[in-house]
């Protein structure tokens, strides 16, 4: 399996650092790689004069295709070099998201070799920025294309994802009044206020979902103060809520807490609701996932499938990894999904709930 084409391509991709906002090299590599395989390839800037480009590839001259396979080219920092130990690939992007990306290309290549594809059947869409707000997928809406179904690649442990949580990300800015810590009555400690706000937010009874589980709150970044003997004049927190249900109610809950504290300002970064997916595929188990994806950022009434090798529990960590046998299996599953899409007038699967 070490000589498998999907392993070789995964290695090539992983050897190109592509932290969010630094995807230029990998985009050029993929464009050249696919052109050599006789794809029509477009490098599409995500904004006017932007150096950041999505890669869109298809067979022949028809940009519009029935099926599309999509993964993201960017990774979280830091870059971790590729290495193989036994049957496991380690390094940044192994499962999130360069392994799935390589498997999508190889799935299409194998179907081409088997003479199962025609022009207009399938395309590949590889985007920038998924790990940092999703500007690449948001820009893909400007391509003015529609598909019957899209297969998104992310680490789902070799199972079809039935849905994933939404995300509400916001910042808190606290204004205090600095003074000597020996006379705390003369000032107002922004850190103390922030701690109280965060404690209330953490204890809120957030909505739950039978399918996706509980909504969870996390404060990921805190800053405040200048010294141990000075009351903090300012404090800051960056927070995120993984939304299982009722995003609007969650926003109101948080606003009501923040409004109780003078001098605290809430600034919303972004938010999107939970996403329910199409998942009924013969012979493949399904499960919900708690992480977010680019899927809700792409508008349209297409069927939405989410599948990939590896575990999100390894993604973003120092031991990010993917089992080679799982990577090879993923190629076969992507082929199966593509043929399922192409064999029907309209993809049959679980209808997402309203």
């Amino acid at each position: 399996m070490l000589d498998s084409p999907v392993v070789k391509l995964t290695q090539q991709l992983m050897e190109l650092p592509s932290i969010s906002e630094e995807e230029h090299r990998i985009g050029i590599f993929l464009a050249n790689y696919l052109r050599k395989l006789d794809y029509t390839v477009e490098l599409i800037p995500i904004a006017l004069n932007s150096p950041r480009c999505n890669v869109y590839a298809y067979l022949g001259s028809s940009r519009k295709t029935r099926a599309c396979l999509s993964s993201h080219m960017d990774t979280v920092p830091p870059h971790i070099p590729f290495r193989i130990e036994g049957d496991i690939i380690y390094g940044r992007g192994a499962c999130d998201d360069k392994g799935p990306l390589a498997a999508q290309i190889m799935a299409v290549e194998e179907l081409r070799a088997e003479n199962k594809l025609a022009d207009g059947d399938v395309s590949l869409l590889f985007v920038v920025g998924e790990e940092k707000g999703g500007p690449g997928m948001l820009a893909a809406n400007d391509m003015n294309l529609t598909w019957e179904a899209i297969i998104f690649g992310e680490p789902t442990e070799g199972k079809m994802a039935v849905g994933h949580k939404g995300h509400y990300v916001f910042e808190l800015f606290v204004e205090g009044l600095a003074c000597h810590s020996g006379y705390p009555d003369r000032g107002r400690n922004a850190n103390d206020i922030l701690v109280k706000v965060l404690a209330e937010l953490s204890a809120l009874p957030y909505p739950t979902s039978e399918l996706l589980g509980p909504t969870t709150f996390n404060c990921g970044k805190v800053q405040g103060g200048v010294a141990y003997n000075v009351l903090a004049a300012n404090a800051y927190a960056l927070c995120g809520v993984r939304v299982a249900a009722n995003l609007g109610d969650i926003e109101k809950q948080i606003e009501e807490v923040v409004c109780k504290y003078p001098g605290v300002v809430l600034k919303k970064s972004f938010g999107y609701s939970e996403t329910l997916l199409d998942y009924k595929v013969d012979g493949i188990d399904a499960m919900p996932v708690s992480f977010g994806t680019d899927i809700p950022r792409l508008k349209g009434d297409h069927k939405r499938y989410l599948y990939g090798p590896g575990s999100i529990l390894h993604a973003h960590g120092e031991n990010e990894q993917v089992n080679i046998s799982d990577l090879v299996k993923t190629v076969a599953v992507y082929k199966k999904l593509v043929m399922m899409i192409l064999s029907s007038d309209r993809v049959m699967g679980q209808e997402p709930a309203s």
Side-chain angles (χ1 to χ4, degrees), residues 299-314:
K299 300 174 183 178
D301 63 356
H302 48 269
K303 296 289 183 176
R304 302 176 295 179
Y305 295 94
L306 178 61
Y307 180 93
S311 170
I312 196 67
L313 301 180
H314 292 136

Side-chain angles (χ1 to χ4, degrees), residues 86-290:
D87 187 38
I88 299 176
I89 295 172
Y90 291 91
R92 185 62 74 228
C95 64
D96 188 17
D97 200 24
K98 296 179 180 180
L101 191 158
Q104 290 183 338
I105 292 174
M106 289 304 141
V108 176
E109 279 303 287
E110 288 190 12
L111 289 173
R112 289 179 73 191
E114 296 164 7
N115 294 315
K116 293 181 178 178
L117 295 180
D119 293 359
D121 278 346
V122 67
S123 55
L124 299 163
L125 174 62
F126 304 134
V127 300
V128 302
E130 189 273 346
E131 300 287 7
K132 202 171 183 180
M137 192 61 80
L138 290 171
N141 291 296
D142 296 330
M143 295 170 64
N144 296 316
L145 289 175
T146 59
W147 300 270
E148 291 179 24
I150 303 179
I151 303 162
F152 296 88
E154 291 281 2
T156 64
E157 301 179 15
K159 298 177 182 178
M160 301 300 303
V162 302
H164 70 68
K165 294 182 180 180
H167 213 180
Y168 176 51
V169 176
F170 60 93
E171 298 171 288
L172 296 172
F173 298 88
V174 185
E175 183 179 347
L177 178 63
C179 71
H180 193 291
S181 65
Y183 303 87
D185 57 308
R186 306 301 296 270
R188 188 171 61 254
N189 194 324
N191 287 343
D192 286 349
I193 298 170
L194 180 59
V195 167
K196 292 175 183 177
V197 174
L198 292 176
E200 280 206 50
L201 294 177
S202 182
L204 283 173
Y206 293 108
T208 62
S209 162
E210 270 189 43
L211 183 67
L212 301 178
T215 294
T216 56
F217 169 82
N218 176 60
C219 176
K221 183 178 181 180
V222 174
Q223 295 174 326
V226 294
Y228 70 90
N229 53 1
V230 181
L231 266 66
N234 301 98
Y236 166 86
L238 177 61
C239 305
V241 178
R242 296 289 179 173
V243 178
N246 304 330
L247 173 60
D249 292 345
I250 291 168
E251 292 191 49
K252 290 179 182 177
Q253 285 179 286
I254 292 170
E255 289 171 3
E256 288 173 358
V257 169
V258 172
C259 285
K260 291 162 54 178
Y261 294 87
V264 181
V265 175
L266 167 68
K267 181 181 178 182
K268 177 179 176 179
S269 298
F270 65 87
Y272 57 85
S273 298
E274 69 277 10
T275 297
L276 303 181
L277 302 169
D278 302 278
Y279 64 89
K280 288 189 175 180
V281 181
D282 289 344
I284 305 178
D285 292 336
M287 71 173 190
V289 297
S290 294

Side-chain angles (χ1 to χ4, degrees), residues 68-71 104 149-153 305-307 334 337-338 341:
C68 180
L69 298 98
S70 182
S71 292
Q104 290 183 338
I150 303 179
I151 303 162
F152 296 88
Y305 295 94
L306 178 61
Y307 180 93
Y334 286 152
L337 291 172
V338 169
I341 294 164

